[in-house]
Amino acid sequence: QLWQQTIQAKINNQASVLKGCRDEEVKCMRVWAADVRSGDPDNLEARAAAYYWKSLFADVDGFTRDREGIPPNNLLNYGYAILRAVVARGLVISGLLPTLGIHHHNRYNAYCLADDIMEPYRPYVDNLVIKIMQHSNDYSELTKDIKMQLLSIPVIDVEINKKRSPLMIAAQQTTASLYKCFSGELRQIAYPEL
């Protein structure tokens, strides 16, 4: 159920980015988010991702989301690395081991739980990358200026629990709520809403 909540939050945030950046039809994404079941056995995350990436970077010829892919994959990779560090820090502060994931499992990955919990935060990075692309003629290289813009990720303004706060603080609220879910105090993880 924790994974269900995570994927629902991720798909809803992706839908908000698509609507805000591309004014794209997102009704299907809202339906997919609502239909996610415990553990996401229907793999609605993948269905939503296919639609999302195709629509979000429709103007980038030949774009597919791939770590080794063409730009703006380089910007996304850098932004996600920053996000992963912010979430891993929040997990450790909350007394959790970033290694033991809810969904991600890989003995060679020391950050499985961070990879799980950062999922609903990824659309914030995507949104920033779109803005960088709109104001830059060339984003094929990670210039000093582009890196500086991506380094603002921890202080992006997000809304969590009906209050605005920097992403770094929101991530700590999310990880603290996850700890409470594990301890039986809560049943809902606090995720931000775009």
Side-chain angles (χ1 to χ4, degrees):
Q1 289 173 344
L2 296 176
W3 187 242
Q4 175 188 23
Q5 293 172 33
T6 302
I7 296 308
Q8 286 173 329
K10 177 185 182 181
I11 295 172
N12 278 320
N13 285 346
Q14 286 176 328
S16 296
V17 169
L18 263 188
K19 189 69 179 161
C21 292
R22 298 287 183 231
D23 198 29
E24 193 73 31
E25 176 54 55
V26 294
K27 206 177 290 179
C28 59
M29 291 192 72
R30 299 291 185 200
V31 169
W32 291 330
D35 288 348
V36 173
R37 295 183 295 144
S38 183
D40 191 21
D42 305 314
N43 206 5
L44 292 172
E45 177 189 17
R47 190 180 308 175
Y51 180 80
Y52 176 72
W53 292 118
K54 179 178 67 80
S55 304
L56 190 62
F57 295 113
D59 53 349
V60 178
D61 209 27
F63 179 84
T64 55
R65 175 64 191 126
D66 184 355
R67 189 172 292 165
E68 307 298 324
I70 62 169
N73 279 297
N74 55 342
L75 278 64
L76 294 167
N77 294 343
Y78 195 83
Y80 293 155
I82 294 165
L83 178 60
R84 186 188 210 199
V86 168
V87 172
R89 178 181 180 272
L91 289 167
V92 171
I93 288 170
S94 296
L96 297 168
L97 280 173
T99 311
L100 304 174
I102 298 167
H103 176 75
H104 289 95
H105 300 284
N106 182 340
R107 68 170 139 179
Y108 303 109
N109 179 1
Y111 298 100
C112 289
L113 188 56
D115 291 344
D116 288 339
I117 299 306
M118 71 185 262
E119 292 294 346
Y121 286 90
R122 284 178 184 263
Y124 290 95
V125 174
D126 306 340
N127 199 28
L128 179 59
V129 166
I130 288 285
K131 288 178 182 162
I132 291 170
M133 290 170 63
Q134 289 169 345
H135 296 97
S136 176
N137 295 333
D138 181 20
Y139 49 86
S140 60
E141 296 293 321
L142 278 170
T143 62
K144 185 177 178 183
D145 180 55
I146 289 174
K147 285 181 181 178
M148 282 178 46
Q149 291 178 67
L150 289 168
L151 284 169
S152 72
I153 289 167
V155 294
I156 289 174
D157 205 26
V158 304
E159 186 175 316
I160 186 165
N161 295 327
K162 306 282 187 238
K163 294 180 185 158
R164 303 211 62 78
S165 69
L167 185 144
M168 186 168 47
I169 303 301
Q172 290 175 358
Q173 292 174 357
T174 296
T175 58
S177 72
L178 177 64
Y179 176 87
K180 289 180 179 176
C181 287
F182 285 145
S183 70
E185 295 173 59
L186 286 178
R187 294 187 55 79
Q188 187 80 29
I189 305 174
Y191 280 124
E193 292 178 31
L194 249 165

